[in-house]
Every structure is written in structure tokens, then in C-alpha cells.
Amino acid sequence: QVELVESGGGLVQAGGSLRLSCYATGSVFNINTMGWYRQVPGKERELVASIIGRSATTYAEFAKGRFTISRGNIKDTVYLQMSSLKPEDTAVYYCHAIRVGESYWGQGTQVTVSS
């Protein structure tokens, strides 16, 4: 079993930056893919960015050039550096991990961008 714990959400003005953090506890060996998704009420959860291993990254179009995903020195951590934030980035952001074909989710952290 894997538990994911997120932190770093909050309220920021448009144009500002936030850094989300997520670390995994439990059976963390063989976690290869980690990522971030986001969801707003009434909409489906969508991919923000993911990383396989330490360097193979994928970004949603809206995240390219503004967000950066990275793994920590400890392999079971992942970060999302968000810059040039826009009000439309307001959402609950969820950490995600895949281990041996099973999918795990964090509890979510709220990001609110004011105009």
C-alpha cells in the first residue's frame, strides 16, 4: 500500500508562483511514475504533468512553459513548481503514483489564484 501526502497549496495572486510537494510512504519501492492532476468542481480530473523515473516528463498544454515537475533526491518525492499562475489554474491538485500497475492518489491540495 502507498500513501501520498501533498503540501504547498494555498492562495496566490495572478502571476505568482507556488511549489507543490508530495512524498510517498508505505511500499514505495518500484514507484516508477509520479505526477500531478487537478480538478475543478463539475469537471473531470485532468493531467497536469507526470514524470517517469527521474527525467521523462509529460506536460499538459496549459502547463508547458509555466510548470515544472521534478523528482526529489529521495525517489519517492515529486514536486510541481508553478509559475505565472492564472485564475484558471485554480483547482484541487492531486498527487498520483503508479506502482506495479496500481494507481494511488493523494488527498489533494487546494490552489487558488486570485485576479
Side-chain angles (χ1 to χ4, degrees):
Q1 191 71 12
V2 175
E3 181 181 1
L4 301 174
V5 180
E6 302 120 331
S7 61
L11 174 65
V12 65
Q13 287 190 330
S17 299
L18 279 177
R19 188 191 195 211
L20 305 183
S21 301
C22 171
Y23 70 89
T25 63
S27 299
V28 301
F29 57 92
N30 287 336
I31 291 179
N32 188 37
T33 301
M34 298 189 78
W36 292 93
Y37 286 69
R38 71 183 189 184
Q39 189 170 24
V40 297
K43 290 192 174 183
E44 290 190 357
R45 194 170 295 185
E46 61 179 353
L47 173 70
V48 178
S50 65
I51 183 167
I52 300 174
R54 290 200 174 276
S55 60
T57 57
T58 299
Y59 291 93
E61 280 301 317
F62 63 79
K64 291 179 180 178
R66 299 190 299 130
F67 297 178
T68 302
I69 190 170
S70 61
R71 299 288 288 269
N73 289 332
I74 301 173
K75 193 177 179 183
D76 51 355
T77 58
V78 65
Y79 305 100
L80 184 68
Q81 179 68 46
M82 303 186 291
S83 303
S84 301
L85 284 162
K86 305 174 183 179
E88 51 264 44
D89 293 318
T90 296
V92 177
Y93 284 70
Y94 295 90
C95 182
H96 177 250
I98 298 174
R99 175 186 172 274
V100 195
E102 292 206 18
S103 191
Y104 298 90
W105 295 94
Q107 79 285 356
T109 184
Q110 177 71 45
V111 171
T112 302
V113 184
S114 63
S115 56

